[in-house]
Amino acid sequence: MRFHRIARTLPVLLPLLSAVAHAQSGAENYPARPVRLIIPQAAGGATDIFIRTVIPKLSETLGQQVVVDNRPGANGVIGDEMAVKAPADGYTFMANAIGIVMNPSLYKLNYDITRDLQGVTRLGAIDMLIGIHPSVPAKSVAELISHAKANPNKLNYASFGIGSISHVAGEMFKQASGTQIVHVPFKSSPLAVQETIGGQTHIVMGGISYMLPQARSGRLRGIAITAMQRNSNAPDIPTAHESGLPSFDINAWFGTWVPAAVPKPVLAKLYDAMSKTLAAPDVRAAIDKHGYKIGGEPPEQFNQFVRREVEKFAKVLKAAGIKPEG
C-alpha cells in the first residue's frame, strides 16, 4: 500500500526536486556570464554617475562584466517594466532612484514594485542643490522667495518629469515658502539642468554630484542644499533649513532590484557582491568625492524601507495635488 502511494507521488515530486536542484546549481555557478544592469534614467544623472563609479569594482567582485543599459522615460516606468519582465535568473537587475516609490501614486501601473520586484540594497543617497540661473536677481533662498512673491507665476522651475524627485522638491519648496512658481517638466535630469543653464527656465533642483560643477563654474548659482546639514563637498553653501525654510529636508536615494522570482541564493550572492563593492576603500573614496552617502543594508531591510517610502510619498503627492500628464 505504501509503495503504491509513493509511486503515485513520484510524478509530482520529481519535477519539483529537479527544479530545486536546477536552482541550486544555478546559484552555485552564478554568475557564469555577463550581467545586464538596467538604469531607467538618462546617462549623466545621479543614479548613472553613482553606478558607473562602482561598476568596475562590482564587475571585479562578481567575476563577470556588468553591462549598463540606460532606458529613460516615463519617470522610470519603462525601465521598471523591463526589470519586472526580465528572466528571474539574476542576470538582469535594475538600479533606480526615489521616483520608483512615487510612481504607484501617479500612474496606473501594470506591476506592483513591492510584489513584482525584490530589493537588493539601497546604494546610497545624494543631497540636492537648489540652482538658479544667474539672471535671477537672488543670491540666497530669502532673496529668491522675496523675488518670487513680488512676481507671482513669473518664475519657473525645471524638473526631470512629472512625479520625479525634482518635481516633488519644487512643490515642497513652493508650499514651504508660500510662493507661486511654474513647473516645467523635462524628460531627464541633464536636459532640465541644461535648459536652466541656457536660461529657458529659472530654477532647478538636482543632485549635488552634477549640480555643484555647474555652480562652481558660474553657469548656475547654487543657493542652498536641501538637507538639514551642510554637505562636506560644499561647506560654503548653506542649507535650505538654515536659510529660512525650517525642516526642509529631501534627498535623492537610489537602490537596486531584481525580479521577485529570483532565487534567494542568487539574490544573496548579488547582495554580497554589492556590499563588498560599497565597502571597498577606493570605491568609498570615489563616492565621497561626488558627494554621495553610502547605503548597503540587506535586502529585507531595504524592502521594508521601500514599502515605507511608498506610503510616505503617497501622502506627500496627494497633499501637493500632483497629477500625471494625460
Side-chain angles (χ1 to χ4, degrees):
M1 190 70 122
R2 184 177 297 174
F3 173 79
H4 290 299
R5 284 199 298 268
I6 293 174
R8 287 196 301 269
T9 307
L10 280 176
V12 177
L13 287 177
L14 286 176
L16 294 176
L17 292 172
S18 176
V20 171
H22 180 73
Q24 290 177 340
S25 175
E28 290 174 2
N29 297 326
Y30 176 85
R33 62 178 189 273
V35 180
R36 175 192 184 200
L37 173 56
I38 298 170
I39 301 180
Q41 288 88 35
T47 307
D48 186 76
I49 290 173
F50 187 104
I51 283 294
R52 291 180 187 275
T53 301
V54 305
I55 272 180
K57 193 69 174 183
L58 180 58
S59 296
E60 178 185 323
T61 306
L62 282 171
Q64 291 289 346
Q65 183 182 7
V66 177
V67 182
V68 173
D69 185 1
N70 289 93
R71 295 297 180 116
N75 202 34
V77 172
I78 292 173
D80 292 348
E81 288 184 334
M82 291 179 68
V84 167
K85 296 175 181 178
D89 54 12
Y91 287 94
T92 297
F93 69 110
M94 174 181 70
N96 205 346
I98 188 174
I100 192 173
V101 297
M102 301 177 186
N103 288 339
S105 297
L106 287 171
Y107 304 100
K108 292 182 179 179
L109 305 174
N110 56 18
Y111 59 90
D112 183 328
I113 65 168
T114 61
R115 181 196 65 212
D116 300 323
L117 293 170
Q118 58 178 328
V120 182
T121 190
R122 179 167 38 166
L123 294 170
I126 186 79
D127 289 336
M128 298 177 72
L129 175 67
I130 302 175
I132 59 178
H133 189 267
S135 65
V136 178
K139 295 184 178 181
S140 67
V141 168
E143 290 181 1
L144 177 62
I145 292 173
S146 177
H147 180 67
K149 285 185 175 180
N151 299 274
N153 293 316
K154 295 293 180 65
L155 292 179
N156 55 46
Y157 76 91
S159 85
F160 318 152
I162 301 292
S164 64
I165 182 65
S166 55
H167 182 195
V168 174
E171 292 303 305
M172 288 174 62
F173 181 89
K174 287 165 58 178
Q175 292 174 15
S177 62
T179 54
Q180 299 176 49
I181 304 173
V182 179
H183 174 222
V184 182
F186 292 95
K187 292 183 178 181
S188 69
S189 50
L191 185 57
V193 173
Q194 286 303 317
E195 290 299 302
T196 307
I197 290 173
Q200 283 71 36
T201 47
H202 303 110
I203 307 165
V204 63
M205 300 185 198
I208 194 171
S209 58
Y210 53 86
M211 289 285 289
L212 191 56
Q214 307 301 336
R216 295 299 191 217
S217 69
R219 289 189 286 269
L220 289 176
R221 184 178 296 135
I223 60 171
I225 300 293
T226 66
M228 298 300 288
Q229 297 181 338
R230 295 196 183 198
N231 190 286
S232 60
N233 284 48
D236 56 314
I237 301 179
T239 67
H241 170 74
E242 65 183 286
S243 301
L245 295 178
S247 301
F248 191 89
D249 183 19
I250 184 170
N251 64 37
W253 61 261
F254 30 88
T256 47
W257 288 261
V258 292
V262 165
K264 295 299 182 183
V266 172
L267 174 65
K269 280 197 170 185
L270 189 54
Y271 167 69
D272 183 63
M274 287 189 184
S275 180
K276 289 177 179 177
T277 297
L278 293 175
D282 53 338
V283 171
R284 295 191 73 90
I287 289 171
D288 289 342
K289 181 180 178 181
H290 286 298
Y292 292 96
K293 300 172 183 177
I294 292 288
E297 65 265 57
E300 186 49 44
Q301 188 178 337
F302 178 49
N303 284 323
Q304 292 172 1
F305 168 76
V306 169
R307 288 191 286 268
R308 291 195 301 270
E309 289 285 279
V310 170
E311 294 174 359
K312 179 179 79 174
F313 281 103
K315 297 175 183 177
V316 170
L317 293 169
K318 183 177 181 180
I322 295 175
K323 302 291 185 181
E325 291 180 314

